[in-house]
Amino acid sequence: MNFYIMTLFPEMIEQGAKNSILGRAIDNGIISLEAVNIRDYTEDKHRKVDDYPYGGGAGMLMQAQPVYDCWRAVEEKIKEKRGSKAGAKTRVIYLTPQGKTFHQEMAGELAKEEDIIFLCGHYEGIDERALEEIVTDYVSIGDYVLTGGELPALVMIDAVARLAPGVLHNEDSAGEETFYNDLLEYPQYSRPEQWHGKKVPEVLLSGNHKKIREWRLEQSEIKTQRWRPDLYEKYALRKKLMEKLVKKNKALYADMSESLGRGRGELIYGGEDGAVVWDKKADVYMLSSFDKASAEKIVDQIPERIKDGQFILHEEWLLPPMERRFPVKEKMMCQRAVYNRDVSLPRSGEIEILQLDISWLPVISAHYHLGSEGYVEERLLSGAIFGAFIEGKLAGFIGEHIEGSLGMLEVFEEYRRKGIAAELESYMINLHLSRGHLPYGDVIVGNEASMKLQRKLGLKVSKEIYCWAIVPSDAAL
Ligand code: ADE
């Protein structure tokens, strides 16, 4: 992920980004940041970049020419770097108090971009004609006026960069915090146990992780209800639907309830007749229609702007209305495997299981065929793929898919029938349990080897069959 900042004060950006997590991510090459001085592009012999506004008024305005030429140079550089991959125009974000207010969801959306250009204004703003030609997004960081766009650009870069795969090392740490799941963060305590006569809550010293999770959730709920009732209302709606899905069919709807529960699912529709959840991170729409009569209505909840993508259809009667609306090109029929217990699975001490880093990309890509190399790369950078090692050699791997299910399991030919698959899956199940997640996976109908493994490990396989429907992005509508 590369940030380009067009500014009159490049040192301000460089100083602001060189420390802490952002600085480390830059040093490690996970993100790059380049502050480009707009003044270097002025044609004025005195290096002037501003002038009086026509029609009068207070202050000076940044002129169109240096801003435009600076942008051209940055855009050119990005095109050159991308080479044949050059696609849509790079997003250009103009920081202004008149823009759309920045929030966590916008940060998540921007984190998917490979390159972002920020344009920092000064004085009374920038000549409108330059803005019209180059800006794609007008963004404010809040209803107050600052002296320039550099601090807002740094705020946005910090919020976006920390969501990019690999920046925080642990995929989960970007998850369980304020705004995750529309809940404010629970209170935290460190040593000493007693300070100013105040004791750390007993439950946090108990070592009982389940109880600790429950306590934290309860504290988050209380805090949110008190300080942010607007957020709490959204959270409560989602919670109600989750409970309903679990009650109806815990295995079949595990993807929807986990997506909502892990704070990545947005409730597009939730009613007596069904639900539509959009998993923001995976960009997958999950649909369920509790009765056949409402199938058409449920499919109609998918927003008009969606032209392609991946959809999970939980009931067979969703397929005909789906195919009427979208040119579905691929269908994968699955059954859901769920680990319902909360006790960890035993592990043999002989097989070492380690998180795989990006250096394993060629090996994993060569063996995993249900996703692109880009997908494997994203999963490795997110720390979501784990390998089994025997005598120091990689014998197989397993991963967590982007929407949260367990999968990508592969044991290399020469290591099969040694119980490695069971070891890898047990490891992942235990990891999910330790994070408070429900371990679940999609088993392709007819994959008897996988079915056997799921049953052996004590997972419950749903009898219902659901469908992954894929509408390719180049499908003509
Ligand atoms: N420039 C000046 N004030 C700003 C704000 N609040 N947000 C974004 N850019 C700004």
Side-chain angles (χ1 to χ4, degrees):
M1 162 151 246
N2 311 297
F3 300 103
Y4 303 85
I5 303 94
M6 296 167 52
T7 168
L8 290 174
F9 300 96
E11 326 74 55
M12 202 170 159
I13 298 290
E14 282 152 8
Q15 285 294 329
K18 74 175 187 197
N19 296 306
S20 188
I21 294 177
L22 220 50
R24 186 183 67 194
I26 295 169
D27 291 344
N28 293 342
I30 298 168
I31 60 168
S32 84
L33 186 139
E34 192 178 333
V36 188
N37 195 341
I38 297 173
R39 200 177 293 281
D40 289 346
Y41 293 87
T42 179
E43 287 171 353
D44 182 86
K45 61 176 186 291
H46 305 294
R47 286 179 51 85
K48 205 165 74 82
V49 289
D50 60 328
D51 212 330
Y52 294 100
Y54 281 116
M60 305 285 269
L61 214 56
M62 281 167 73
Q63 291 168 287
Q65 178 273 318
V67 171
Y68 183 76
D69 286 356
C70 178
W71 167 74
R72 286 261 314 247
V74 173
E75 181 71 1
E76 205 51 47
K77 189 169 183 176
I78 295 171
K79 275 214 186 94
E80 220 165 84
K81 181 199 64 174
R82 288 192 194 159
S84 58
K85 282 198 296 175
K89 185 175 170 235
T90 310
R91 283 174 85 161
V92 178
I93 297 173
Y94 176 46
L95 289 314
T96 164
Q98 288 148 34
K100 199 168 152 189
T101 310
F102 185 55
H103 49 69
Q104 190 62 30
E105 212 171 306
M106 199 191 291
E109 189 212 322
L110 289 171
K112 293 181 191 148
E113 300 285 335
E114 191 180 330
D115 302 287
I116 304 177
I117 303 173
F118 290 93
L119 170 58
C120 306
H122 258 269
Y123 315 120
E124 285 308 304
I126 298 178
D127 189 309
E128 191 67 22
R129 292 165 297 183
L131 298 179
E132 276 170 15
E133 294 208 9
I134 67 176
V135 173
T136 57
D137 305 73
Y138 293 75
V139 181
S140 162
I141 61 158
D143 287 341
Y144 41 83
V145 182
L146 301 167
T147 54
E150 284 73 15
L151 289 174
L154 282 168
V155 165
M156 284 186 70
I157 290 167
D158 196 284
V160 173
R162 65 189 288 287
L163 300 179
V167 172
L168 291 185
H169 294 317
N170 173 0
E171 190 171 25
D172 249 17
S173 46
E176 298 211 1
E177 58 193 30
T178 299
F179 298 129
Y180 159 81
N181 219 356
D182 291 325
L183 283 179
L184 301 182
E185 200 177 8
Y186 44 79
Q188 303 247 48
Y189 305 85
S190 181
R191 279 198 285 194
E193 245 181 74
Q194 189 147 336
W195 182 82
H196 279 199
K198 291 175 178 161
K199 265 203 91 210
V200 171
E202 208 60 53
V203 62
L204 300 178
L205 311 172
S206 68
N208 182 332
H209 294 291
K210 188 162 178 265
K211 283 238 152 49
I212 293 173
R213 267 200 308 276
E214 285 165 3
W215 180 85
R216 286 179 165 164
L217 177 63
E218 188 189 32
Q219 292 297 315
S220 282
E221 288 179 346
I222 293 169
K223 211 166 149 184
T224 313
Q225 207 165 7
R226 183 175 303 156
W227 299 113
R228 292 291 303 271
D230 56 322
L231 281 184
Y232 188 78
E233 207 175 303
K234 269 170 80 186
Y235 164 78
L237 253 175
R238 285 221 309 260
K239 190 173 174 190
K240 203 170 132 204
L241 177 69
M242 268 168 65
E243 283 164 0
K244 186 162 158 184
L245 291 171
V246 169
K247 212 163 130 199
K248 266 193 178 297
N249 191 329
K250 186 172 171 181
L252 181 62
Y253 301 126
D255 50 346
M256 297 174 98
S257 56
E258 281 298 295
S259 176
L260 290 168
R262 297 182 200 179
R264 319 141 38 118
E266 189 169 303
L267 187 55
I268 304 285
Y269 174 78
E272 286 306 310
D273 49 358
V276 178
V277 171
W278 172 49
D279 188 290
K280 288 177 278 190
K281 188 164 175 199
D283 195 12
V284 172
Y285 283 83
M286 301 161 170
L287 286 76
S288 97
S289 129
F290 302 144
D291 55 77
K292 196 171 174 178
S294 58
E296 188 106 31
K297 177 181 158 191
I298 296 296
V299 169
D300 282 345
Q301 305 303 317
I302 301 170
E304 203 50 51
R305 66 188 159 80
I306 304 301
K307 304 285 180 228
D308 53 63
Q310 301 197 49
F311 306 84
I312 306 178
L313 311 175
H314 290 84
E315 292 83 14
E316 59 183 329
W317 50 72
L318 282 165
L319 197 54
M322 188 71 193
E323 288 190 309
R324 277 198 290 278
R325 203 176 143 196
F326 293 94
V328 175
K329 282 277 153 63
E330 234 180 279
K331 285 173 260 187
M332 193 169 74
M333 309 310 282
C334 295
Q335 280 170 273
R336 175 66 41 69
V338 169
Y339 185 78
N340 273 321
R341 295 181 292 155
D342 57 10
V343 285
S344 298
L345 286 165
R347 296 265 329 280
S348 109
E350 284 152 39
I351 298 167
E352 191 178 23
I353 297 185
L354 299 169
Q355 192 178 62
L356 300 182
D357 67 18
I358 193 67
S359 67
W360 290 96
L361 180 61
V363 181
I364 307 300
S365 300
H367 283 90
Y368 183 68
H369 303 297
L370 279 174
S372 65
E373 185 169 310
Y375 181 66
V376 175
E377 183 181 11
E378 188 281 332
R379 291 289 74 202
L380 282 168
L381 285 171
S382 294
I385 303 185
F386 296 83
F389 289 84
I390 292 187
E391 288 165 2
K393 287 217 171 77
L394 186 69
F397 58 87
I398 193 166
E400 177 182 340
H401 280 295
I402 192 164
E403 85 289 354
S405 63
L406 304 182
M408 308 177 86
L409 179 59
E410 173 81 23
V411 175
F412 304 152
E413 189 72 47
E414 62 270 40
Y415 293 103
R416 292 195 184 148
R417 284 167 289 281
K418 294 185 198 302
I420 295 172
E423 276 295 310
L424 279 163
E425 189 164 331
S426 301
Y427 178 86
M428 284 303 268
I429 286 173
N430 295 350
L431 187 67
H432 271 61
L433 291 177
S434 72
R435 292 175 176 167
H437 297 164
L438 175 71
Y440 77 91
D442 299 317
V443 182
I444 298 175
V445 172
N447 184 345
E448 289 309 323
S450 175
M451 285 293 178
K452 213 169 127 191
L453 175 64
Q454 309 314 322
R455 295 207 169 99
K456 179 176 149 191
L457 294 177
L459 283 89
K460 184 175 175 285
V461 181
S462 71
K463 54 183 187 314
E464 294 87 2
I465 291 172
Y466 57 93
C467 174
W468 269 88
I470 306 195
V471 182
S473 52
D474 55 356
L477 279 176

